[in-house]
């Protein structure tokens, strides 16, 4: 996945440095962020990608007159090395738990009297505070009032204008009025009269609304201000149809222009008490709040509320998993038939994306993919967030492992699944690596743990089988998943790089991925991923316990397993899982797809 045209990058950096010189800026920080701290960015805020050619979803770009570097984590190292080649931009490797390492770099390299700049509108408030502290200690000024990109990005995209629509019953199991009432109770408990929300998934959840302003996540650009009796939704004119706008007004929700949020905050009464979440708000947005207003800082109550799916939600997710699993049966049937056809045209990684999306699109309730499909053959599978494009992809032929990570957005839930299949002849080394990863999946899937356990503490359970063999992987074991919302959702995170803070506690109803992996650069990559639901698992004298219900329904390729490495209890888990997959998917498939399902769910002896 090399950067096929580095000349654009070189030209854009030259323009940027000229603008920096004009503004007397010694170092410019370009985060991968928008004014809502979204993971997937509207095109307008994809400045780091536009400047550098690096397409990973995470990375902080720093430019000085003599230096340019992107800080990113291990998921993107291989990809960044390829895409940044010959651009003059260095890859700065973030090690686990060091996501703000670039702050230390700036403090070490900038001199007293110099100036660093960043667009405050897209800089997270908590990171801004670290940055201010570090630079002030070195007598370095920090400017947050300028967007230098605007001076050099001539054809910068406008704001997205996709329409907003309701997420309706039965899939929306709690009403907008009910959610607002719950939120106001939480606000009162925190001593707040008003609450500002800028994170788009929180807003979509709270108001039972969805949109398409951001690829893969059904959300829309907005801010929300919750007052004691009414709420205001700040969104671009024309995005909410008149009938929906009238419904919102009847239910206590006013609609105002997107750009008027700053003025609304500036007009807050002097005796106001405002709740904000410093991890989910930008520095620029925080500046809208007048000094006279008392500010309370705590996690958004909606972040907790949306993470704990109701039993009604869980039932819709189970039904969605059945439809998604049936789509995957049809897809993998097509894949096997295509690979077995000696007369076929060359099969590419790009075709995998097209066919898996088409299979899902035939299923009821499907809206869109939940992220960009990863289909990596052989060495491409070792690039953790690889994406094949028409310009850069591999042909699937010969022998090797094919990793496919994909997901769907359905009105009844969000899916995310990774499977690895063998193409042609696979080796004993392939099988050993695959089986060790599978052992990690099984170990965590079977775990029982006290309610309230900090989710990062569970990460080691999935790594233990790999650690025992001197192996490891460079990403988290699991992320929370939304309900027809973001495919990556907090507050829980089964990751060794996440801090085991109180807000990461595991609670009933949370949906989380389990996805250990193993990556051998230049050779192959393996990741096996299921989604699981936290559920009650009994009470003892030591308290309430939880365990996991596996939600994902798709066979794990037993052709890639070295059965000698599995204990009897691990085989039983896999056989029981496959029996469940067969039972629940059989009514939804027929013909060749049914035959494929029957074959792929046969029990291991």
């Amino acid at each position: 996945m090399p950067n096929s045209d580095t000349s654009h990058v070189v030209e854009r950096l030259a323009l940027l440095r000229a603008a920096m010189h004009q503004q007397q800026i010694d170092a410019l920080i370009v985060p991968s962020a928008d004014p809502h701290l979204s993971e997937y960015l509207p095109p307008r805020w994809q400045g780091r990608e536009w400047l550098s050619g690096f397409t990973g979803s995470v990375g902080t770009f720093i430019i000085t007159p003599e230096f340019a570097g992107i800080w990113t984590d291990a998921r993107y190292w291989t990809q960044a090395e390829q895409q940044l080649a010959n651009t003059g931009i260095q890859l700065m490797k973030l090690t686990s738990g060091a996501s703000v390492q670039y702050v230390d770099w700036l403090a070490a390299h900038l001199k007293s009297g110099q100036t660093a700049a960043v667009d405050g509108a897209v800089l997270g408030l908590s990171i801004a505070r670290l940055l201010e502290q570090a630079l002030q200690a070195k007598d370095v000024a920090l400017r947050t009032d300028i967007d230098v990109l605007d001076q050099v990005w001539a054809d910068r995209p406008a704001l997205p204008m996709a329409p907003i629509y309701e997420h309706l019953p039965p899939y929306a199991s709690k009403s907008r009025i009910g959610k607002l009432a719950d939120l106001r109770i939480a606000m009162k408990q925190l001593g707040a009269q008003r609450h500002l929300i800028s994170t788009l998934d929180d807003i979509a959840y709270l108001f039972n609304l969805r949109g398409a302003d951001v690829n893969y996540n059904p959300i829309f650009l907005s801010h929300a201000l919750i007052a004691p009796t009414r709420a205001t939704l700040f969104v671009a004119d024309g995005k909410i149809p008149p009938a929906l706008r009238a419904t919102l007004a009847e239910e206590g929700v006013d609609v105002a222009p997107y750009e008027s949020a700053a003025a609304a905050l500036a007009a807050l009464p002097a005796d106001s008490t405002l709740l904000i979440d410093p991890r989910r708000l930008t520095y620029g947005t925080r500046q809208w709040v007048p000094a006279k207003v008392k500010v309370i800082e705590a996690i958004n109550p909606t972040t907790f509320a949306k993470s704990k799916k109701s039993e009604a939600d869980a039932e819709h997710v189970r039904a969605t998993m059945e439809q998604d699993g049936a789509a995957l049966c049809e897809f993998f049937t097509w894949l096997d038939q295509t690979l077995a056809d000696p007369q076929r045209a060359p099969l590419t990684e790009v075709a995998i994306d097209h066919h898996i999306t088409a299979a899902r699109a035939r299923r009821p309730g499907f809206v869109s993919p939940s992220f960009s499909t990863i289909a990596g053959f052989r060495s491409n599978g070792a690039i953790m967030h690889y994406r094949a494009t028409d310009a850069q992809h591999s042909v699937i032929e010969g022998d090797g492992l094919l990793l496919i990570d994909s997901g769907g957005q359905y009105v009844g839930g969000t899916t995310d699944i990774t499977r690895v299949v063998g193409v042609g002849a696979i080796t004993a080394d392939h099988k050993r690596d695959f089986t060790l990863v599978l052992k990690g999946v099984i170990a965590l899937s079977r775990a029982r743990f006290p309610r309230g356990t900090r989710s990062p503490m569970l990460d080691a359970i999935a790594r233990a089988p790999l650690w025992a063999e001197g192996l490891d992987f460079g990403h988290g074991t699991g992320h929370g998943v939304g309900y027809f919302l973001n495919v990556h959702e907090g507050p829980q995170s089964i990751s060794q790089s996440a801090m085991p803070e109180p807000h990461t506690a595991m609670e009933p109803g949370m949906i989380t991925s389990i996805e250990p992996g193993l990556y051998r650069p230049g050779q192959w990559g393996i990741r096996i991923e299921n989604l699981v639901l936290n559920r009650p698992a009994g009470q003892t004298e030591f308290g309430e316990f939880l365990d996991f219900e596996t939600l994902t329904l798709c066979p794990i390729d037993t052709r890639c397993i070295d059965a000698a490495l599995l204990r009897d209890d691990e085989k039983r888990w896999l056989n029981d899982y496959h029996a469940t997959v067969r039972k629940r998917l059989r009514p939804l498939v027929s013909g060749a797809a049914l035959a494929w399902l029957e074959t792929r769910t046969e029990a291991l002896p």
Side-chain angles (χ1 to χ4, degrees):
M1 196 166 31
N3 191 339
S4 57
D5 186 357
T6 61
S7 63
H8 288 314
V9 174
V10 174
E11 291 169 5
R12 289 167 183 172
L13 282 176
L15 287 172
L16 186 75
R17 284 184 167 120
M20 289 169 58
H21 179 74
Q22 186 179 29
Q23 295 287 340
Q24 296 182 310
I25 294 169
D26 301 291
L28 180 69
I29 307 163
V30 183
S32 299
D34 65 6
H36 309 277
L37 302 181
S38 306
E39 177 183 13
Y40 297 104
L41 307 178
R44 178 171 182 77
W45 287 290
Q46 292 176 9
R48 188 262 299 150
E49 179 178 333
W50 178 81
L51 274 172
S52 69
F54 170 56
T55 60
S57 65
V58 174
T60 300
F61 194 10
I62 291 180
I63 305 99
T64 74
E66 304 83 22
F67 168 84
I70 290 179
W71 278 255
T72 193
D73 62 51
R75 294 171 296 168
Y76 299 99
W77 289 350
T78 303
Q79 175 181 343
E81 285 171 351
Q82 294 177 359
Q83 292 184 328
L84 299 178
N86 303 316
T87 63
I89 302 170
Q90 295 183 37
L91 165 62
M92 309 296 285
K93 293 184 176 181
L94 283 175
T95 53
S96 178
S99 60
V100 291
Q101 196 172 18
Y102 64 88
V103 175
D104 296 331
W105 186 94
L106 284 166
H109 287 79
L110 291 181
K111 299 178 176 63
S112 174
Q114 290 191 310
T115 299
V118 60
D119 179 7
V122 300
L123 180 66
L125 177 57
S126 56
I127 294 175
R129 289 170 173 170
L130 288 174
L131 190 59
E132 281 183 322
Q133 183 179 14
L135 296 183
Q136 282 175 1
K138 299 299 292 285
D139 192 30
V140 173
L142 177 64
R143 285 192 64 182
T144 59
D145 62 337
I146 186 169
D147 182 1
V148 182
L149 278 175
D150 250 358
Q151 300 178 29
V152 298
W153 194 352
D155 55 350
R156 188 172 189 176
L159 294 177
M161 286 300 295
I164 295 170
Y165 58 95
E166 281 196 275
H167 189 217
L168 294 166
Y171 301 107
S173 61
K174 188 160 196 168
S175 71
R176 186 164 36 242
I177 292 173
K179 289 178 178 179
L180 283 164
D182 289 347
L183 175 57
R184 288 186 172 108
I185 291 171
M187 289 164 55
K188 187 175 181 179
Q189 290 171 343
L190 291 166
Q193 304 162 328
R194 290 171 172 80
H195 179 30
L196 172 64
I197 310 176
S198 285
T199 35
L200 304 183
D201 53 337
D202 283 297
I203 294 170
Y205 161 82
L206 177 63
F207 294 102
N208 284 346
L209 298 174
R210 298 295 188 268
D213 283 352
V214 178
N215 284 342
Y216 312 118
N217 295 336
I219 52 184
F220 51 94
L221 294 185
S222 56
H223 299 280
L225 183 60
I226 316 304
T229 59
R230 295 193 72 80
T232 304
L233 186 62
F234 300 94
V235 64
D237 289 338
K239 290 174 66 71
I240 299 181
L244 176 53
R245 191 170 179 139
T247 299
L248 290 170
E250 290 171 5
E251 297 182 0
V253 180
D254 300 314
V255 176
Y258 177 74
E259 63 275 8
S260 68
L265 285 167
L268 287 176
D271 61 350
S272 296
T273 305
L274 180 70
L275 171 64
I276 64 168
D277 185 342
R279 300 190 190 203
R280 293 168 176 81
L281 200 71
T282 69
Y283 181 85
T285 302
R286 175 65 178 86
Q287 299 304 105
W288 297 344
V289 182
K292 64 187 179 183
V293 172
K294 180 182 177 183
V295 172
I296 296 173
E297 295 189 356
I299 191 170
N300 287 339
T302 45
T303 300
F304 287 127
K306 69 181 170 57
S307 72
K308 293 176 278 191
K309 283 67 176 176
S310 67
E311 183 51 39
D313 295 339
E315 277 301 307
H316 291 305
V317 171
R318 292 183 187 106
T320 292
M321 290 293 178
E322 291 173 352
Q323 294 295 338
D324 201 63
L328 291 168
C329 286
E330 294 176 352
F331 163 75
F332 281 114
T333 299
W334 166 84
L335 179 63
D336 280 2
Q337 291 173 341
T338 303
L339 291 172
D341 181 3
Q343 305 301 318
R344 66 177 171 87
L347 176 61
T348 69
E349 294 165 333
V350 174
I352 298 295
D353 184 7
H354 293 163
H355 281 270
I356 205 166
T357 300
R360 285 191 168 102
R362 292 191 290 269
R363 289 287 152 178
F366 177 79
V367 176
S368 74
S370 57
F371 56 95
S372 177
T373 298
I374 299 168
F377 185 50
R378 291 180 176 162
S379 61
N380 289 341
I383 303 173
M384 295 176 207
H385 279 228
Y386 171 76
R387 183 183 180 188
T389 66
D390 289 335
Q392 300 288 340
H393 61 261
S394 290
V395 174
I396 301 167
E397 59 185 3
D399 305 322
L401 298 178
L402 172 62
L403 183 152
I404 304 173
D405 187 351
S406 68
Q409 293 285 7
Y410 299 79
V411 291
T414 301
T415 73
D416 181 2
I417 174 174
T418 308
R419 289 294 184 263
V420 173
V421 297
V423 177
I426 58 174
T427 67
D429 287 340
H430 289 144
K431 291 184 177 182
R432 175 178 177 272
D433 283 358
F434 184 97
T435 307
L436 291 172
V437 173
L438 175 60
K439 286 168 75 74
V441 173
I442 295 172
L444 186 49
S445 299
R446 297 173 62 198
R448 188 182 186 206
F449 48 91
R451 179 177 180 174
T453 295
R454 310 299 191 250
S455 52
M457 296 171 63
L458 301 175
D459 181 85
I461 298 174
R463 293 180 191 268
L466 291 160
W467 284 349
E469 301 298 323
L471 304 169
D472 202 3
F473 54 94
H475 57 77
T477 292
H479 56 83
V481 178
Y483 176 60
F484 185 35
L485 271 174
N486 292 1
V487 73
H488 295 150
E489 174 183 277
Q492 78 276 28
S493 174
I494 304 177
S495 171
Q496 60 183 355
S497 64
M499 294 295 290
E501 297 173 293
H503 68 262
T504 66
M506 293 296 257
E507 294 291 336
M510 287 179 165
I511 295 176
T512 315
S513 68
I514 294 177
E515 49 179 311
L518 183 58
Y519 309 91
R520 298 190 182 274
Q523 298 182 71
W524 60 79
I526 296 166
R527 184 166 61 253
I528 302 171
E529 177 184 17
N530 286 335
L531 302 189
V532 295
L533 173 72
N534 290 3
R535 63 185 179 186
Q539 184 95 21
T540 76
E541 66 269 32
F542 296 98
E544 184 180 348
F545 280 73
L546 303 176
D547 66 6
F548 292 126
E549 172 191 346
T550 298
L551 296 169
T552 303
L553 298 170
C554 182
I556 295 168
D557 195 340
T558 54
R559 298 171 299 178
C560 297
I561 293 174
D562 181 348
L565 296 178
L566 292 179
R567 302 187 308 268
D568 287 345
D569 61 307
E570 292 170 326
K571 289 181 184 177
R572 279 196 300 274
W573 182 93
L574 183 62
N575 289 340
D576 289 346
Y577 174 69
H578 278 156
T580 299
V581 171
R582 179 185 292 195
K583 178 181 179 181
R584 291 181 55 191
L585 298 189
R586 184 186 278 156
L588 298 175
V589 294
S590 59
L594 177 58
W596 180 90
L597 173 66
E598 299 278 359
T599 299
R600 292 286 175 262
T601 55
E602 289 179 357
L604 287 178

